[in-house]
Amino acid sequence: MPHPPLPRRRVMLLALALDALGEPPAKLHPVVWMGNYLGWARRRWQAQTPRQHLLEGGAYWAAGALAAAGAGAAASGLPWYAQGALLKPLLARRALFGAAAEVAAALEQDNLSEARRLLSWHLVSRDTSALSAAEVAGACIESLAENLSDSVVAPLLAYRVGGLPLAAAYRLSNTADAMWGYREGELEWAGKVAARADDLLNLAPARLTALCALAASGGGWRVWAQDRRSTTSPNAGHPMSAFAGALGVRLDKRGVYTLNAAGREPTAADIRRALRLARLTLGWAVGVLLLGKFRPRNS
């Protein structure tokens, strides 16, 4: 099995190591720049009809993705250690794990209101004000599983396949989906191209994350096979159902889906277990990305 070029392996490992140091200042953070661009684009929309919203939102998404890819291409000639430093802010491992740990700590202290606040602030866009402690724990585990795929495994896979250009374009699309990808209101049509692009780009990472979680835990296969298509997203259900099965917990989103209906209600202790599983899952995924074959032998 041919390995990726040594510099590319070094870049990925360096980016993961640098992620332990935290995030760069906002004014130097490329994902913040992407968010600023997407916010600016939204303020400039002039469309009146759904078709116009679709075209305008798609055009702004395409312009942003091309600009991100172009910046990545311009940086691809830099030394491997500079590329590692640039890949690092496209990942969000430390921020994700830290956010989940904060929610777990609040629940452990029986501070449900703070746990709800932290969950809403860091991890989910839904209203958390009426969630029970079990629902808060479940939503935290769901977000940890989904964002492990979206914010860590996916940009690493994009880099492994297409270098910095694809990794940057992926991150722009994922950020656009987070900001624009709503199923109702004025963003229903304007964000549709970004949302569909993000769905496409996450097909492989979501399934890789789920399979690595199942391999790392040694269980959960039945729940994943049964419930992976239960969510409205074509991708989120894969890592979430794998985590639900591996941990033996039921993950509910009221009126939307239930994963592992036979499982028990999750607690703060299960968030801690989910964090351990996330670290093991990432270890498996990194191993696959470093050693796997993703391109033709003669490329």
Short mmCIF file of all heavy atoms in Angstrom, two decimals, residues 163-190:
data_model
loop_
_atom_site.label_atom_id
_atom_site.label_comp_id
_atom_site.label_asym_id
_atom_site.label_seq_id
_atom_site.Cartn_x
_atom_site.Cartn_y
_atom_site.Cartn_z
N GLY A 163 -4.77 18.55 -0.84
CA GLY A 163 -3.88 19.56 -0.31
C GLY A 163 -4.61 20.76 0.26
O GLY A 163 -5.81 20.74 0.52
N LEU A 164 -3.88 21.85 0.46
CA LEU A 164 -4.46 23.04 1.04
C LEU A 164 -5.60 23.64 0.22
O LEU A 164 -6.57 24.16 0.80
CB LEU A 164 -3.37 24.10 1.26
CG LEU A 164 -2.43 23.85 2.45
CD1 LEU A 164 -1.33 24.90 2.47
CD2 LEU A 164 -3.20 23.85 3.77
N PRO A 165 -5.58 23.59 -1.12
CA PRO A 165 -6.72 24.15 -1.86
C PRO A 165 -8.04 23.48 -1.51
O PRO A 165 -9.04 24.17 -1.24
CB PRO A 165 -6.34 23.90 -3.33
CG PRO A 165 -4.85 23.88 -3.33
CD PRO A 165 -4.47 23.21 -2.03
N LEU A 166 -8.08 22.16 -1.48
CA LEU A 166 -9.33 21.47 -1.17
C LEU A 166 -9.70 21.64 0.30
O LEU A 166 -10.87 21.81 0.65
CB LEU A 166 -9.23 19.99 -1.52
CG LEU A 166 -10.52 19.18 -1.34
CD1 LEU A 166 -11.65 19.77 -2.17
CD2 LEU A 166 -10.30 17.71 -1.71
N ALA A 167 -8.71 21.61 1.20
CA ALA A 167 -9.00 21.80 2.62
C ALA A 167 -9.61 23.17 2.88
O ALA A 167 -10.58 23.30 3.65
CB ALA A 167 -7.73 21.62 3.45
N ALA A 168 -9.08 24.20 2.25
CA ALA A 168 -9.62 25.56 2.43
C ALA A 168 -11.00 25.69 1.82
O ALA A 168 -11.90 26.30 2.42
CB ALA A 168 -8.66 26.58 1.82
N ALA A 169 -11.19 25.13 0.63
CA ALA A 169 -12.52 25.19 0.00
C ALA A 169 -13.54 24.43 0.82
O ALA A 169 -14.70 24.86 0.96
CB ALA A 169 -12.45 24.63 -1.42
N TYR A 170 -13.13 23.29 1.39
CA TYR A 170 -14.04 22.54 2.26
C TYR A 170 -14.46 23.39 3.45
O TYR A 170 -15.63 23.48 3.79
CB TYR A 170 -13.40 21.24 2.77
CG TYR A 170 -14.21 20.69 3.91
CD1 TYR A 170 -15.40 20.01 3.67
CD2 TYR A 170 -13.85 20.95 5.24
CE1 TYR A 170 -16.21 19.59 4.71
CE2 TYR A 170 -14.65 20.53 6.28
CZ TYR A 170 -15.82 19.85 6.01
OH TYR A 170 -16.63 19.45 7.06
N ARG A 171 -13.49 24.03 4.09
CA ARG A 171 -13.80 24.80 5.29
C ARG A 171 -14.72 25.97 4.98
O ARG A 171 -15.61 26.30 5.77
CB ARG A 171 -12.52 25.30 5.95
CG ARG A 171 -12.68 25.59 7.41
CD ARG A 171 -13.03 24.33 8.17
NE ARG A 171 -13.18 24.58 9.59
CZ ARG A 171 -14.11 24.01 10.34
NH1 ARG A 171 -14.97 23.18 9.81
NH2 ARG A 171 -14.18 24.25 11.63
N LEU A 172 -14.55 26.58 3.82
CA LEU A 172 -15.45 27.66 3.41
C LEU A 172 -16.86 27.11 3.22
O LEU A 172 -17.84 27.72 3.69
CB LEU A 172 -14.92 28.29 2.11
CG LEU A 172 -15.64 29.51 1.50
CD1 LEU A 172 -16.93 29.16 0.81
CD2 LEU A 172 -15.85 30.61 2.51
N SER A 173 -16.99 25.97 2.58
CA SER A 173 -18.31 25.37 2.35
C SER A 173 -18.97 24.97 3.66
O SER A 173 -20.18 25.18 3.85
CB SER A 173 -18.19 24.16 1.43
OG SER A 173 -17.78 24.56 0.13
N ASN A 174 -18.20 24.39 4.57
CA ASN A 174 -18.75 23.97 5.85
C ASN A 174 -19.20 25.18 6.67
O ASN A 174 -20.25 25.15 7.33
CB ASN A 174 -17.70 23.15 6.61
CG ASN A 174 -18.24 22.58 7.90
OD1 ASN A 174 -17.81 22.97 8.98
ND2 ASN A 174 -19.16 21.64 7.80
N THR A 175 -18.43 26.25 6.63
CA THR A 175 -18.80 27.47 7.35
C THR A 175 -20.04 28.10 6.72
O THR A 175 -20.93 28.59 7.42
CB THR A 175 -17.63 28.47 7.34
OG1 THR A 175 -16.46 27.84 7.87
CG2 THR A 175 -17.95 29.70 8.18
N ALA A 176 -20.12 28.08 5.40
CA ALA A 176 -21.30 28.62 4.71
C ALA A 176 -22.54 27.82 5.07
O ALA A 176 -23.62 28.39 5.28
CB ALA A 176 -21.07 28.61 3.20
N ASP A 177 -22.41 26.50 5.16
CA ASP A 177 -23.55 25.69 5.55
C ASP A 177 -24.00 26.03 6.96
O ASP A 177 -25.20 26.12 7.24
CB ASP A 177 -23.20 24.21 5.45
CG ASP A 177 -24.34 23.31 5.87
OD1 ASP A 177 -25.44 23.44 5.30
OD2 ASP A 177 -24.15 22.48 6.78
N ALA A 178 -23.04 26.23 7.87
CA ALA A 178 -23.39 26.57 9.25
C ALA A 178 -24.09 27.92 9.33
O ALA A 178 -25.01 28.10 10.14
CB ALA A 178 -22.12 26.59 10.11
N MET A 179 -23.70 28.87 8.49
CA MET A 179 -24.27 30.22 8.56
C MET A 179 -25.51 30.39 7.68
O MET A 179 -26.40 31.19 8.00
CB MET A 179 -23.21 31.24 8.14
CG MET A 179 -22.03 31.32 9.11
SD MET A 179 -20.75 32.51 8.59
CE MET A 179 -21.67 34.06 8.72
N TRP A 180 -25.57 29.65 6.58
CA TRP A 180 -26.64 29.84 5.61
C TRP A 180 -27.58 28.64 5.47
O TRP A 180 -28.66 28.78 4.89
CB TRP A 180 -26.07 30.11 4.21
CG TRP A 180 -25.26 31.34 4.05
CD1 TRP A 180 -25.06 32.34 4.95
CD2 TRP A 180 -24.52 31.70 2.87
NE1 TRP A 180 -24.23 33.31 4.42
CE2 TRP A 180 -23.89 32.94 3.14
CE3 TRP A 180 -24.33 31.11 1.63
CZ2 TRP A 180 -23.09 33.58 2.20
CZ3 TRP A 180 -23.53 31.74 0.70
CH2 TRP A 180 -22.92 32.97 0.98
N GLY A 181 -27.16 27.47 5.92
CA GLY A 181 -27.87 26.24 5.58
C GLY A 181 -29.09 25.95 6.41
O GLY A 181 -29.17 24.91 7.09
N TYR A 182 -30.08 26.82 6.35
CA TYR A 182 -31.33 26.64 7.10
C TYR A 182 -32.43 26.17 6.16
O TYR A 182 -32.42 26.47 4.96
CB TYR A 182 -31.72 27.93 7.80
CG TYR A 182 -30.78 28.30 8.93
CD1 TYR A 182 -29.60 29.02 8.66
CD2 TYR A 182 -31.01 27.91 10.23
CE1 TYR A 182 -28.72 29.35 9.68
CE2 TYR A 182 -30.14 28.23 11.26
CZ TYR A 182 -28.99 28.95 10.97
OH TYR A 182 -28.11 29.26 11.97
N ARG A 183 -33.39 25.45 6.73
CA ARG A 183 -34.45 24.85 5.91
C ARG A 183 -35.71 25.71 5.86
O ARG A 183 -36.74 25.28 5.34
CB ARG A 183 -34.80 23.45 6.44
CG ARG A 183 -33.64 22.48 6.35
CD ARG A 183 -34.00 21.12 6.90
NE ARG A 183 -32.87 20.21 6.80
CZ ARG A 183 -32.59 19.47 5.74
NH1 ARG A 183 -33.38 19.54 4.67
NH2 ARG A 183 -31.54 18.67 5.72
N GLU A 184 -35.66 26.91 6.42
CA GLU A 184 -36.82 27.79 6.40
C GLU A 184 -36.35 29.23 6.44
O GLU A 184 -35.17 29.51 6.65
CB GLU A 184 -37.72 27.51 7.60
CG GLU A 184 -37.02 27.61 8.94
CD GLU A 184 -37.90 27.16 10.08
OE1 GLU A 184 -38.85 26.39 9.85
OE2 GLU A 184 -37.63 27.58 11.22
N GLY A 185 -37.28 30.17 6.19
CA GLY A 185 -36.93 31.58 6.21
C GLY A 185 -36.19 32.00 4.95
O GLY A 185 -36.14 31.27 3.95
N GLU A 186 -35.58 33.17 5.01
CA GLU A 186 -34.93 33.74 3.82
C GLU A 186 -33.72 32.93 3.37
O GLU A 186 -33.29 33.04 2.22
CB GLU A 186 -34.52 35.19 4.10
CG GLU A 186 -33.42 35.33 5.13
CD GLU A 186 -32.87 36.74 5.21
OE1 GLU A 186 -33.34 37.60 4.45
OE2 GLU A 186 -31.99 36.96 6.04
N LEU A 187 -33.16 32.12 4.26
CA LEU A 187 -31.98 31.36 3.90
C LEU A 187 -32.31 30.00 3.27
O LEU A 187 -31.39 29.29 2.84
CB LEU A 187 -31.09 31.15 5.14
CG LEU A 187 -30.44 32.40 5.70
CD1 LEU A 187 -29.70 32.08 6.99
CD2 LEU A 187 -29.50 33.02 4.69
N GLU A 188 -33.58 29.65 3.22
CA GLU A 188 -33.94 28.33 2.71
C GLU A 188 -33.39 28.11 1.30
O GLU A 188 -32.85 27.05 0.99
CB GLU A 188 -35.45 28.14 2.71
CG GLU A 188 -35.88 26.79 2.15
CD GLU A 188 -37.39 26.61 2.13
OE1 GLU A 188 -38.12 27.55 2.52
OE2 GLU A 188 -37.84 25.53 1.71
N TRP A 189 -33.51 29.12 0.44
CA TRP A 189 -33.03 28.99 -0.94
C TRP A 189 -31.64 29.57 -1.12
O TRP A 189 -30.82 29.01 -1.83
CB TRP A 189 -34.03 29.67 -1.89
CG TRP A 189 -35.28 28.88 -2.02
CD1 TRP A 189 -36.45 29.08 -1.34
CD2 TRP A 189 -35.48 27.74 -2.85
NE1 TRP A 189 -37.38 28.13 -1.69
CE2 TRP A 189 -36.81 27.30 -2.62
CE3 TRP A 189 -34.70 27.04 -3.75
CZ2 TRP A 189 -37.35 26.19 -3.27
CZ3 TRP A 189 -35.23 25.93 -4.40
CH2 TRP A 189 -36.54 25.52 -4.16
N ALA A 190 -31.36 30.66 -0.44
CA ALA A 190 -30.05 31.30 -0.61
C ALA A 190 -28.92 30.39 -0.15
O ALA A 190 -27.82 30.42 -0.70
CB ALA A 190 -30.01 32.62 0.15
#
